[in-house]
Amino acid sequence: MLGRELSKELVLGAAEQIKQLLSHQEEENRNVVKKGLILYRQGSIYNVSTTSHSVSAKVQDVTSVQVELDLDDFSMSTCTCPSDSICRHQLATFLYVYASVDRVGTFVDLWKEEKPIDDVLKHVKKASSLLKPEKDYEDTLGSWIAFFDREFERWYEQVSSPNQLFQSLFHHYYSAIKKKAPKSPEMKQFFIVQASVTVFLKILQLINETKPTDYMLQHIIYPYLDQLIDNVEVAISEMKRYALPFALDPYLVDSVERFRELLFTSKEYQYERTNLYKLLWIELLRRDKFISIEREWLEEHLEEEQKQDPSFAIEFEMALMHMNFLQSRDEEIFEVMRTKLTPSALPFIFPWVEDIFKKKNWKRLSNWISYLLNGTNEYINSSLPFDEKRQTIRYLLRFISQYARATNDDVLYERACKMMLPLSYAEYHDLLLDKEQYKTWIELQTLLGFSLDEMDTYVLKEIEKSEPGVLLPLYVQSVQHEIRMKTRENYKMAVRYLKRIKAQYKKLKREEVWENYILQLAEEHKRLRAFKEELKKGKLIHD
């Protein structure tokens, strides 16, 4: 955590020095700043400590390096990397510091412009006045974020038990900042959205610092992230009850940079991070001007990621696909899914099909359904864990069922069940019984290698009542299997099945067929003394 020793004037003054030392006109300097941004956004800075005029930190690059920043004279800053001038590690550390006083995007914009950063200093309040602001925040997103960060540092200093870190963050810090929301209903809900995103990001940052166990990630931390996403959905739903004011537009502009932090703040929870990012863009930022800005940034940084460290390349690729989705460029999404991503990426597209379904755009959705049906075979045959694949297919079939009902497509769902076997067994099993397609149901059990004693007895009895005789081939096959096992217990099981065969022939009024069958069976296996004894005990043959 940053200390409180650094004044805003000092940080902005150092920013002005960097602008003088690294001219935007030189490509080498532009590359240094780009690489520093990447390191900063990847959360590579840690073990940060400050004095009144300096910053010390470690930066994780290919190897870990030590950085010492001199904010009074930035040219005196040092790094243990081989560079003999301002390096990407120093820039990344400075951006980490700068983010505590203003948006990083502001620094980058001012660095690119001719306007001196000194002009900003004229409008900056004295550091002493920043310690006790007249109110918690001003009417800007940057001020909200600064308020969230101040409250976070205050909360962090008071945390009594590291074991309760994430619980306290959610129940104490999150609750405290939500209570400070604006009074107007629409701005209140947007404040809650931003507070929820902030807590989501803070959790990711704490994960980077504390390295929790897999158990904590799955059972302690995940429920909080899941709840935060739900809270964002609820808050956005509440916002839509009102006509959003024009005053919200500047907040949305600043949110473009804010929300993309979800892509690279941590390597954990890739699915949850990208889903929240998609949700925010679908519901809040779905404007061409925002999409163009984001697309340009993503394309530039994806190229950098692929050249250097592809740690977040998938996130950037998914985000670019999301921009394609927002502009209905579906074929480009399908092409990326087929050629660049692994089968494990399949669940990432579900929020898109859900959004199209909500809008009842059946024509567009039909293309997605075709893609899903054609693309699931590779996913089903992948090496992913069975439980993960089963969960995905269960969701997909539920969605296809809803689509089939909405479009009155009677055969689509059954076709999907067949195509997704064996992962679709449960759904196909229920469908066949509902439709009373008993012969197909029996074929399904046989195909998947289920024996009679593994099948639901209640279901078997219902089939026998509804369609006598349909189970006979299965019983005969099971009898032969049990006899081949040649144990007393298997012979007893064979006799049990034979009694069911006898009952079925009786219902069909074909007793003569039964008599011929049992006599032929007894003759065929007459050397199996134990089997013959069981047949007599079961009163199926007589001396």
Side-chain angles (χ1 to χ4, degrees):
M1 302 298 150
L2 287 178
R4 299 180 180 276
E5 296 90 346
L6 302 176
S7 69
K8 189 168 186 177
E9 295 99 322
L10 181 66
V11 175
L12 294 178
E16 178 62 28
Q17 293 180 55
I18 292 172
K19 181 172 182 180
Q20 300 303 321
L21 293 167
L22 296 177
S23 170
H24 179 260
Q25 304 303 320
E26 297 181 19
E27 183 177 357
E28 182 180 352
N29 294 338
R30 292 198 295 272
N31 286 334
V32 169
V33 174
K34 282 182 183 179
K35 292 173 182 177
L37 273 167
I38 290 172
L39 287 171
Y40 161 69
R41 285 170 171 148
Q42 288 178 347
S44 301
I45 300 91
Y46 63 103
N47 286 359
V48 181
S49 61
T50 64
T51 66
S52 58
H53 294 272
S54 66
V55 178
S56 175
K58 284 189 176 294
V59 180
Q60 183 62 49
D61 201 349
V62 178
T63 61
S64 179
V65 296
Q66 179 68 41
V67 173
E68 305 289 339
L69 298 186
D70 186 329
L71 298 183
D72 284 324
D73 185 355
F74 201 86
S75 64
M76 298 300 292
S77 301
T78 63
C79 177
T80 57
C81 78
S83 176
D84 56 2
S85 58
I86 297 178
C87 64
R88 61 182 181 269
H89 311 111
Q90 294 173 24
L91 257 297
T93 304
F94 176 74
L95 294 173
Y96 180 91
V97 174
Y98 190 91
S100 67
V101 299
D102 204 348
R103 289 175 53 248
V104 169
T106 301
F107 167 77
V108 176
D109 291 342
L110 292 170
W111 174 69
K112 291 179 179 178
E113 295 173 3
E114 295 299 322
K115 180 180 177 182
I117 297 176
D118 282 340
D119 288 355
V120 180
L121 293 172
K122 298 175 184 178
H123 306 288
V124 176
K125 296 180 180 180
K126 295 290 183 181
S128 59
S129 68
L130 293 174
L131 295 177
K132 294 183 179 180
E134 295 178 2
K135 58 181 183 177
D136 292 314
Y137 49 79
E138 304 297 330
D139 295 332
T140 66
L141 181 59
S143 182
W144 286 9
I145 304 305
F147 164 68
F148 296 152
D149 288 342
R150 287 197 306 272
E151 292 299 303
F152 180 76
E153 288 194 21
R154 185 177 301 155
W155 162 82
Y156 193 81
E157 290 171 356
Q158 297 173 353
V159 174
S160 57
S161 170
N163 296 329
Q164 300 294 317
L165 191 64
F166 296 97
Q167 294 93 323
S168 177
L169 178 72
F170 187 87
H171 294 293
H172 298 146
Y173 168 71
Y174 184 39
S175 297
I177 60 176
K178 283 196 297 182
K179 289 177 182 176
K180 299 287 186 174
K183 300 298 182 186
S184 64
E186 63 275 13
M187 294 304 285
K188 176 180 180 180
Q189 297 305 323
F190 188 67
F191 185 93
I192 291 174
V193 169
Q194 292 291 349
S196 302
V197 172
T198 293
V199 175
F200 198 104
L201 292 170
K202 296 296 186 189
I203 288 176
L204 296 176
Q205 290 164 7
L206 287 173
I207 288 172
N208 293 342
E209 294 176 17
T210 61
K211 311 296 184 190
T213 63
D214 288 343
Y215 177 86
M216 278 199 67
L217 289 171
Q218 183 176 355
H219 298 285
I220 305 298
I221 301 173
Y222 172 77
Y224 294 132
L225 296 180
D226 193 46
Q227 185 61 56
L228 287 167
I229 295 174
D230 286 346
N231 291 356
V232 169
E233 289 181 330
V234 170
I236 291 174
S237 177
E238 286 295 309
M239 284 176 66
K240 290 187 173 182
R241 293 174 55 192
Y242 309 97
L244 298 184
F246 289 116
L248 193 61
D249 278 8
Y251 292 84
L252 294 175
V253 171
D254 290 340
S255 294
V256 173
E257 179 179 337
R258 172 71 170 167
F259 293 160
R260 73 168 66 119
E261 292 180 33
L262 291 163
L263 299 176
F264 48 72
T265 296
S266 172
K267 294 182 181 180
E268 300 290 347
Y269 299 109
Q270 184 185 64
Y271 183 79
E272 289 72 26
R273 288 186 288 112
T274 54
N275 266 10
L276 179 54
Y277 173 88
K278 291 175 191 174
L279 169 66
L280 293 164
W281 270 92
I282 284 175
E283 301 294 350
L284 296 176
L285 299 178
R286 204 170 191 161
R287 300 184 189 177
D288 284 338
K289 64 178 182 178
F290 295 155
I291 295 170
S292 297
I293 293 170
E294 189 73 348
R295 183 185 294 279
E296 182 179 354
W297 186 92
L298 288 166
E299 287 173 346
E300 179 181 336
H301 286 76
L302 178 58
E303 185 177 349
E304 288 289 333
E305 281 282 310
Q306 291 170 334
K307 285 180 181 177
Q308 296 182 27
D309 177 12
S311 299
F312 296 97
I314 291 179
E315 283 86 341
F316 289 167
E317 195 76 72
M318 295 300 301
L320 267 173
M321 291 167 66
H322 193 52
M323 298 304 113
N324 286 335
F325 170 77
L326 296 175
Q327 294 181 322
S328 299
R329 293 157 65 168
D330 296 342
E331 287 303 323
E332 294 182 37
I333 297 175
F334 300 155
E335 182 63 20
V336 172
M337 290 290 292
R338 281 191 292 261
T339 60
K340 292 186 178 181
L341 301 182
T342 63
S344 62
L346 180 67
F348 285 80
I349 73 175
F350 291 163
W352 296 330
V353 293
E354 286 179 359
D355 183 67
I356 302 172
F357 186 86
K358 286 177 185 175
K359 292 177 172 52
K360 298 183 179 180
N361 188 340
W362 308 126
K363 182 178 179 180
R364 185 182 181 190
L365 193 53
S366 67
N367 293 329
W368 281 86
I369 294 296
S370 296
Y371 168 76
L372 287 169
L373 290 177
N374 293 328
T376 51
N377 187 56
E378 186 180 3
Y379 180 83
I380 290 169
N381 294 317
S382 70
S383 59
L384 292 167
F386 176 85
D387 289 345
E388 180 179 338
K389 293 194 291 187
R390 171 63 188 133
Q391 183 178 357
T392 298
I393 295 302
R394 181 167 58 239
Y395 168 86
L396 185 54
L397 286 171
R398 186 165 61 245
F399 174 78
I400 290 175
S401 174
Q402 293 172 346
Y403 171 79
R405 287 197 298 271
T407 57
N408 296 318
D409 190 335
D410 295 331
V411 299
L412 175 65
Y413 180 64
E414 184 171 356
R415 182 159 63 94
C417 286
K418 289 180 182 178
M419 292 177 69
M420 296 179 194
L421 287 170
L423 293 171
S424 59
Y425 167 76
E427 289 80 6
Y428 196 31
H429 168 283
D430 292 344
L431 176 68
L432 293 174
L433 292 180
D434 287 343
K435 290 189 170 186
E436 298 184 354
Q437 296 181 10
Y438 298 129
K439 289 183 179 178
T440 307
W441 181 86
I442 293 168
E443 290 172 3
L444 175 65
Q445 313 309 308
T446 306
L447 174 67
L448 296 181
F450 290 115
S451 61
L452 267 172
D453 61 315
E454 293 175 307
M455 298 179 197
D456 190 324
T457 304
Y458 175 78
V459 172
L460 294 175
K461 288 180 178 179
E462 285 297 310
I463 293 175
E464 288 174 347
K465 284 182 184 178
S466 302
E467 201 168 333
V470 74
L471 289 173
L472 283 172
L474 191 59
Y475 285 138
V476 170
Q477 180 182 348
S478 299
V479 167
Q480 293 293 348
H481 170 75
E482 297 297 339
I483 294 172
R484 282 196 299 270
M485 298 305 291
K486 295 184 178 180
T487 72
R488 178 73 69 168
E489 289 303 315
N490 289 110
Y491 295 152
K492 289 180 179 179
M493 183 63 72
V495 168
R496 196 175 304 165
Y497 292 148
L498 286 167
K499 287 182 177 179
R500 293 184 188 178
I501 294 173
K502 181 179 181 180
Q504 288 292 291
Y505 276 123
K506 186 175 182 179
K507 279 188 179 180
L508 294 169
K509 298 181 179 179
R510 298 177 63 190
E511 289 90 342
E512 73 286 354
V513 177
W514 158 253
E515 292 295 339
N516 289 334
Y517 168 70
I518 191 63
L519 291 174
Q520 181 181 349
L521 186 69
E523 179 64 23
E524 182 181 349
H525 300 289
K526 62 184 178 181
R527 294 185 179 181
L528 299 177
R529 188 179 303 171
F531 177 54
K532 191 173 182 179
E533 289 174 0
E534 293 300 327
L535 289 175
K536 290 178 179 178
K537 286 181 183 179
K539 297 181 180 179
L540 295 177
I541 62 172
H542 306 282
D543 290 329

